[in-house]
Amino acid sequence: MDQPSLYDDDIVIWAERQAAAVRDLARRPDLSNMLDWENVAEEIESVGRSQISAVEQKLLLVLIHVLKYMSAPRAQSTRSWRSEVVAFHAAARKAYTPAMRQRIDWAWMWDAARTQADISLRIYDDRLVSGLPEHMPFTPDELVAPTFTMDWALERLAQILNTPKDTH
């Protein structure tokens, strides 16, 4: 095959289309009922869901490490946090497809990152920096951009923390 397939370009869309095609086949009375059509379709869809989950987990780890670094910049682990942000971000970027944007729960990811970073920091008597935004401060495009770095993320968060809150 000389041209890349949808499977190679966007496995999430590929899985959804393949599952829909299997379900269409299941409705045909002339085909065998020996196949468990619905479960076959579910398994195909799970391929896309697992790819989304893998990207979510990598981006979650990126955010956790950024938050830990911002909260405890003198911690012994800062070098490993930096290198892990690079590795997790690269892996997330490689696996990310445009179809994932609407399927990733970005609000959950930010809440989970704050919670997990705080719990991890407390083990070493550190605390999550106060005043972090309630909502995800990065757009999906920013999170998967080739220009995303720990320093860029730290600067963005510092700007947010240093912006006076409206008291009205």
Side-chain angles (χ1 to χ4, degrees), residues 46-110:
S46 75
V47 170
R49 286 192 304 269
S50 69
Q51 293 296 313
I52 292 168
S53 179
V55 168
E56 268 183 340
Q57 291 305 311
K58 300 234 180 338
L59 291 175
L60 174 62
L61 290 168
V62 166
L63 292 171
I64 290 168
H65 288 334
V66 166
L67 290 172
K68 290 191 308 186
Y69 192 102
M70 175 164 233
S71 301
R74 290 177 177 57
Q76 186 175 358
S77 300
T78 56
R79 285 189 185 141
S80 66
W81 294 338
R82 275 191 176 278
S83 66
E84 288 173 358
V85 163
V86 171
F88 292 138
H89 184 259
R93 273 186 42 75
K94 185 175 192 294
Y96 181 81
T97 66
M100 291 180 185
R101 182 182 186 149
Q102 302 304 317
R103 292 161 179 85
I104 290 176
D105 189 341
W106 303 99
W108 166 85
M109 187 185 304
W110 180 245

